[in-house]
Amino acid sequence: MKPATLAMAFLFFAAPAHAAPGMQTGKAIENGRTLFAHETFGGNGRTCDACHVNGGIGPGKTPDGKAIPSLGNAAAIFPRFSKRAGRVVTLEDQIRSCIRGGLQGNPPDGEQFVNLVSYVTSLSQGRALDMDGKPD
């Protein structure tokens, strides 16, 4: 098959860019949303939603009042270079860092972590990739 024909076949059969998640992915997203809103991860009593208000959709604030950006494009801008870490970090790295630092907790592992990452990633559904881009 010629490359152009292969490309056209891919475009024809590819899922729409804004396709709704499947049942299992949707369940992971919902479970992640619950963790985001209610889980303290054994830390200081705060949840992700304490700083990233409204489920992370809009701008938030740290406990000391410092403004933080929305998570609406978080999955679209990672991986990105972190001056604080001195290296390129992934979204997963950032989530772990936020739980350890902001919540003073222990990041979950396994299915719980996948669910949390799935939820945060879902906030960027339909956004164009812009690795190393700026947060909303």
Side-chain angles (χ1 to χ4, degrees):
M1 189 177 272
K2 293 181 181 179
T5 306
L6 184 60
M8 289 303 290
F10 176 78
L11 290 174
F12 182 76
F13 290 107
H18 302 289
M23 184 171 50
Q24 294 303 317
T25 303
K27 183 178 176 183
I29 291 168
E30 284 304 313
N31 290 340
R33 182 188 326 258
T34 299
L35 290 169
F36 190 93
H38 301 292
E39 182 59 52
T40 63
F41 303 104
N44 55 19
R46 291 193 295 256
T47 66
C48 300
D49 201 55
C51 295
H52 300 284
V53 296
N54 297 320
I57 295 171
K61 287 189 177 182
T62 61
D64 64 359
K66 180 183 172 193
I68 55 175
S70 161
L71 296 176
N73 72 334
I77 62 173
F78 282 91
R80 60 183 288 139
F81 181 77
S82 166
K83 289 180 187 175
R84 186 177 349 163
R87 63 181 178 86
V88 173
V89 297
T90 64
L91 178 60
E92 291 85 349
D93 294 331
Q94 185 62 40
I95 291 171
R96 285 184 188 99
S97 176
C98 197
I99 292 171
R100 284 186 190 111
L103 303 183
Q104 298 171 342
N106 298 306
D109 54 12
E111 188 175 351
Q112 275 196 321
F113 191 69
V114 169
N115 292 343
L116 188 58
V117 171
S118 296
Y119 171 67
V120 174
T121 299
S122 77
L123 300 177
S124 297
Q125 179 76 7
R127 301 292 296 264
L129 286 178
D130 185 20
M131 289 189 279
D132 242 356
K134 301 287 183 205
D136 282 349

